[in-house]
Amino acid sequence: MPEAAEWRGVSVRYPFVRSAAVGPASLSVRPGERVLLLGPSGSGKSTLLLTLTGLIPESIPAVVEGDVRLFGADVATRKPWGWAPEVAQYFQDADQTLCGMRVEDEIGFALENQALPEDGIAERIADAMQRVGIPEGWRSRPSSSLSGGEKQLVALAATLVQNPPLFIADEPTAHLAPQAANRLHALLTEHDGSRSVLIVDHRLDGLIQAIDRMVVLDRSGTVIADGEPRTIFREKREHLAELGIWRPAASLLDARLAEAGMAPPVAPLSVEEALAHVDPDTANQDDVRKARPSVKAFVVACAAPAVAAAHDPPVVARLMKADCAPFLGPTVLRGIDLAIRAGEVVGILGANGAGKSTLGLCLSGLLPLKSGRRTGAPGGYAFQRPENQFTAGTVRDEILAALPKSGADRSSPRVADILASWDLAGFENRHPFELSQGQKRRLALASLTASDRWPLLVLDEPTAGLDARSASDLVERVGALSRKGRAIAVITHDMDLALRLCPRAIVVGEGAILADAPTGELMSDAPLLARAGLAEPSCAPAMRWLRRAAAC
Amino acid sequence: MLKALNPLSKLVACAVWLAASILVFDARFQIALIVVIAAVLVALNRTSPLLLLALMVPFCLFGMGFLTTSLLFRQESEFASRMAGEALFSTSALSAGLTLFLRALACGMISAFFTLTTDPGAFIRALMVHARLPPRIGYSLFAALQLVPDLASEAQQMRFARAMKAGRRLRRVPGPGEIVGLVIPLLAFAVRRAGRTAIALEARGLSPRGPRTVMNAPGFAGADVIFLVAALGVLGLCAAAVLAFR
């Protein structure tokens, strides 16, 4: 039986660029296999996926060398649209999958193109909506009226409905709330011997257990590992970390246990697996005691450091009885009372469409309230898409625009210092749009923090699209800013990030703030998490293990 | 009720009404068209009269151009005045201008009738099924429809960023300088978005040839025949009434 998909020595070079975006790379997906493709930002994962049905070079100009084959046939034997019955593609950006119709029509579009009977299409649409968890009420909504996460759900249903022998998904859960992301991971990887799956995703916890094989690319887009996830995450642990590739929490715990000589016999893919051999109820108590410092260190590393509150820091911004609505839109949050103090990092959590970004904009003072009152300093807002924030033609001008209009502070050395401190030295004359995603986020933050204009910063999904190293770097920088007294609100779907970065968090849902408490407390409130469409962080089983071990 | 009709029936009726409005140069006929269509929209489509009035503002401004031109430049409007020679205001210099003004308003009302009672998606589907509009063009139109709100939302984000950097509140209506500053980034966004949509259409199997199903395409029913007969009948009655009172 031929491979479902195969790249043989494939390299891709975009026009006007000297070096190849990816490759030469050789990899394959066997029939019925579920393969995860990992690599740092800019390693060419998405490019590789686009060559699979010939979208590169047919629709996106590039020079492709090597062979790309689908089900044994050269991909060039058909036009990209001719592969649609065999290959369903979910792109990184939901807007790349959706075509501008009502939800129902979006989901049925690929089936219409296959000229299936109308009744059959209607049945499959209903089934896909139900599987993905799309409410019936969305059927007639235009896809343009949905939030980013909601669009992602519809795009996924539109891809799943095709039910082809090969499914390609490029970061399918990037903007989804945890519960929705978990459901989608389960849907994507449900065992079906007739369906092959190739996924690129950074959210590995909850997904990795269902993966048969994983392929890892390095920065140049060359394959550096191809095999079973357990083996790769243990044997290439340091190399993956060095490249900034995301790893499941279990891999980090495995490393700590290994240092103490308590590594599990089989490389773990979940925290539960990592601790199964030292179960406090059944394992040798000496082993449990030996493992405890490692588990504790792992948990400590997962959680934000406790804030030493020597005195009551001043309130930087406060919302009182605030009703919040998107610009020219209906009210989505009512009666909000929220205060954020200097040096505080507050997580804003909630399901897709709960109103987190609207709350962030109101908190920063950019969005006028429908009713109620806001007091405090103006806030700087780092948008989900950093491109929207850039107004200047070069990186240097972007920083200059953020500095006070007069004074020595606008000197070249000052700008150079700022850029160097954000690892942007050498990019002064580049257009901000030419930077990588991580660099764009750093530039957005550099411009927001270049002066003292904004004692409050609101960061909207700051780690979306970043590799592990860039995300870790961002966490450190945010920590440093808070230590300097900035108040920071972080809007995120990433529970691990919230726990690691934010000592305090609020949960938004049902048109109000459902909870406002220390993040650790919120994360152990299972009913609240379920109600808000959230899920516990990946280190939660280790926290429970510590409690059980302490009780023994 | 009007929304349930096939968009193509409404298109045909509106095209005939527009042609009649252009060909019958009579203020009374234009008034009759405006009143009848407005009444139908209010009674059968539950359209707010205030909304109708608001929608007619740009057409009024457009029509005012004709009116003032006719009044200020009588020489140039001689032909139009002659055309309106047998009309109600035949002796007045106001006559031609007023008729032109009402015609602009009638055309606006007919356009409002079509847009207020027609789902754009259903219209495109009807064109693809009944008027052989190529699907590639049809779905490009769908994408264009989506691009407008997307551009608005993108512009909104950019305006927030600009307001933040300028240290001011977001203005409800952007100033001219702000609009100029948004043109290039929005154009870049539109180009990028169009490219992505083209890829999305192709990746999901939209081909230039071969059969395809079009779901939820509006069909023709008895109501469409009744509507067309009624629309043409009302038009005939208006024309007949005008002729009878000449």
Side-chain angles (χ1 to χ4, degrees):
Chain A
M1 204 169 180
E3 309 284 31
E6 192 177 12
W7 290 265
R8 285 188 205 154
V10 172
S11 67
V12 182
R13 204 177 69 249
Y14 288 110
F16 313 113
V17 180
R18 249 180 285 167
S19 56
V22 63
S26 296
L27 62 134
S28 62
V29 181
R30 292 186 274 274
E33 200 178 26
R34 293 161 296 185
V35 177
L36 173 71
L37 182 61
L38 281 183
S41 292
S43 58
K45 304 181 291 293
S46 300
T47 297
L48 212 52
L49 297 189
L50 285 169
T51 60
L52 193 58
T53 55
L55 285 167
I56 290 179
E58 282 279 340
S59 305
I60 303 170
V63 177
V64 179
E65 284 168 9
D67 282 339
V68 185
R69 304 185 80 78
L70 270 171
F71 303 100
D74 183 350
V75 76
T77 54
R78 294 189 205 173
K79 289 282 182 192
W81 48 261
W83 288 109
E86 278 82 29
V87 184
Q89 296 184 81
Y90 177 90
F91 296 105
Q92 201 169 7
D93 185 347
D95 286 335
Q96 230 169 318
T97 306
L98 304 179
C99 307
M101 298 173 268
R102 298 180 317 153
V103 167
E104 178 186 31
D105 300 329
E106 286 286 4
I107 299 173
F109 177 66
L111 304 180
E112 288 179 297
N113 291 331
Q114 292 176 30
L116 297 183
E118 210 170 323
D119 290 349
I121 295 177
E123 263 175 43
R124 282 170 70 171
I125 290 173
D127 179 53
M129 286 177 68
Q130 195 250 326
R131 287 173 72 201
V132 176
I134 294 176
E136 197 59 28
W138 290 13
R139 231 176 223 276
S140 304
R141 280 178 69 182
S143 55
S144 57
S145 71
L146 304 174
S147 76
E150 290 169 343
K151 275 185 189 171
Q152 209 161 4
L153 286 176
V154 174
L156 206 93
T159 324
L160 279 174
V161 78
Q162 292 177 247
N163 201 21
L166 177 59
F167 190 97
I168 310 288
D170 192 354
E171 298 214 28
T173 58
H175 298 287
L176 290 185
Q179 261 178 29
N182 290 344
R183 191 166 60 242
L184 293 192
H185 277 154
L187 278 173
L188 286 176
T189 55
E190 62 191 10
H191 194 69
D192 179 351
S194 63
R195 190 173 74 176
S196 311
V197 179
L198 176 60
I199 301 180
V200 172
D201 206 349
H202 291 323
R203 265 182 173 173
L204 301 179
D205 292 293
L207 167 71
I208 195 70
Q209 294 93 323
I211 294 296
D212 300 315
R213 189 160 60 89
M214 81 182 214
V215 179
V216 185
L217 302 179
D218 68 5
R219 288 195 188 284
S220 66
T222 310
V223 176
I224 54 159
D226 183 344
E228 214 202 345
R230 288 179 194 279
T231 319
I232 294 176
F233 281 124
R234 181 171 272 181
E235 289 178 2
K236 301 227 174 221
R237 189 187 296 139
E238 279 75 29
H239 196 186
L240 297 182
E242 204 177 291
L243 285 169
I245 292 172
W246 289 98
R247 291 169 294 157
S251 172
L252 310 178
L253 179 56
D254 186 37
R256 296 217 181 246
L257 289 169
E259 283 167 16
M262 290 304 299
V266 177
L269 290 178
S270 67
V271 172
E272 287 93 337
E273 272 184 29
L275 296 171
H277 68 299
V278 284
D279 189 317
D281 298 332
T282 55
N284 180 324
Q285 288 307 304
D286 283 344
D287 287 348
V288 173
R289 266 192 292 278
K290 221 169 145 189
R292 223 163 106 182
S294 305
V295 180
K296 202 167 179 184
F298 166 74
V299 169
V300 167
C302 287
V307 185
H311 62 284
D312 235 10
V315 170
V316 174
R318 187 191 294 273
L319 293 176
M320 284 166 285
K321 301 262 174 276
D323 286 356
C324 308
F327 188 66
L328 302 177
T331 302
V332 292
L333 296 170
R334 290 180 195 281
I336 301 294
D337 285 307
L338 176 65
I340 184 163
R341 293 174 182 276
E344 213 178 7
V345 185
V346 178
I348 300 180
L349 315 173
N352 295 113
K356 301 185 294 295
S357 298
T358 303
L359 177 61
L361 285 165
C362 289
L363 185 63
S364 68
L366 282 172
L367 193 57
L369 300 176
K370 280 276 177 178
S371 70
R373 206 154 67 90
R374 179 191 182 276
T375 57
Y381 197 97
F383 292 88
Q384 224 173 84
R385 287 162 50 89
E387 293 92 338
N388 287 342
Q389 199 171 317
F390 303 142
T391 51
T394 64
V395 169
R396 178 189 286 113
D397 291 346
E398 196 61 43
I399 298 295
L400 274 173
L403 292 172
K405 296 286 174 226
S406 60
D409 228 19
R410 292 175 66 82
S411 62
S412 290
R414 168 80 177 127
V415 173
D417 280 353
I418 293 170
L419 290 175
S421 69
W422 287 91
D423 280 344
L424 290 168
F427 296 101
E428 291 84 350
N429 295 319
R430 294 272 283 272
H431 193 285
F433 282 27
E434 288 179 323
L435 303 179
S436 74
Q437 195 64 9
Q439 289 164 340
K440 282 178 190 167
R441 289 211 183 273
R442 287 207 298 277
L443 177 60
L445 276 180
S447 66
L448 287 177
T449 54
S451 71
D452 295 330
R453 283 174 70 187
W454 296 294
L456 163 68
L457 295 176
V458 181
L459 315 182
D460 198 347
E461 295 285 358
T463 56
L466 298 188
D467 60 25
R469 183 196 280 171
S470 308
S472 187
D473 177 56
L474 193 105
V475 167
E476 278 172 29
R477 288 175 187 279
V478 170
L481 287 169
S482 92
R483 285 190 292 278
K484 284 182 187 166
R486 302 261 180 156
I488 298 168
V490 181
I491 299 168
T492 184
H493 284 132
D494 185 339
M495 298 295 103
D496 291 336
L497 175 76
L499 187 63
R500 191 172 154 202
L501 187 60
C502 315
R504 174 187 159 207
I506 59 167
V507 177
V508 180
E510 300 166 14
I513 291 181
L514 297 177
D516 181 346
T519 311
E521 261 177 45
L522 292 180
M523 297 294 177
S524 51
D525 187 343
L528 172 73
L529 295 178
R531 185 177 163 201
L534 304 174
E536 63 179 20
S538 51
C539 66
M543 292 174 173
R544 284 195 291 272
W545 183 93
L546 276 178
R547 283 196 290 272
R548 285 168 58 213
C552 286
Chain B
M1 177 188 175
L2 292 171
K3 284 184 175 134
L5 294 170
N6 190 307
L8 296 187
S9 313
K10 286 181 271 185
L11 184 71
V12 168
C14 288
V16 174
W17 286 343
L18 280 173
S21 170
I22 289 165
L23 293 173
V24 182
F25 200 81
D26 188 293
R28 290 166 301 183
F29 180 75
Q30 309 293 347
I31 291 170
L33 268 187
I34 294 166
V35 170
V36 168
I37 295 172
V40 167
L41 279 173
V42 172
L44 300 182
N45 198 50
R46 301 197 181 281
T47 306
S48 149
L50 280 177
L51 175 67
L52 272 184
L53 284 174
L55 286 174
M56 287 307 109
V57 169
F59 294 98
C60 282
L61 294 174
F62 182 58
M64 284 299 283
F66 287 119
L67 189 60
T68 49
T69 307
S70 301
L71 286 173
L72 296 173
F73 305 100
R74 283 187 208 177
Q75 292 293 316
E76 284 76 357
S77 66
E78 192 188 344
F79 172 73
S81 300
R82 212 172 335 114
M83 290 292 292
E86 294 171 33
L88 183 65
F89 303 102
S90 58
T91 53
S92 166
L94 196 65
S95 172
L98 199 61
T99 310
L100 287 167
F101 169 80
L102 289 169
R103 188 160 78 180
L105 216 56
C107 289
M109 190 60 79
I110 294 165
S111 311
F113 175 86
F114 187 73
T115 49
L116 289 172
T117 61
T118 307
D119 168 39
F123 177 46
I124 296 170
R125 284 172 185 279
L127 283 174
M128 284 196 287
V129 170
H130 303 296
R132 293 175 183 271
L133 178 75
R136 285 202 156 190
I137 296 177
Y139 285 101
S140 302
L141 289 173
F142 272 122
L145 285 175
Q146 166 132 327
L147 189 62
V148 177
D150 276 4
L151 272 176
S153 130
E154 203 67 11
Q156 204 48 51
Q157 297 260 309
M158 292 175 192
R159 290 188 61 216
F160 275 129
R162 282 165 164 73
M164 176 180 77
K165 287 187 175 179
R168 57 168 169 76
R169 279 285 181 99
L170 185 73
R171 297 188 190 106
R172 275 188 90 78
V173 180
E178 199 177 349
I179 291 173
V180 170
L182 290 175
V183 169
I184 299 291
L186 283 178
L187 201 61
F189 169 79
V191 170
R192 205 165 54 233
R193 185 78 174 73
R196 284 177 176 177
T197 304
I199 290 171
L201 293 172
E202 197 159 13
R204 289 165 76 191
L206 182 65
S207 70
R209 55 178 179 270
R212 71 183 303 284
T213 309
V214 179
M215 270 199 346
N216 302 325
F220 288 100
D224 290 292
V225 179
I226 295 169
F227 167 74
L228 275 174
V229 170
L232 297 177
V234 167
L235 191 70
L237 283 175
C238 291
V242 168
L243 285 174
F245 286 101
R246 274 195 172 178

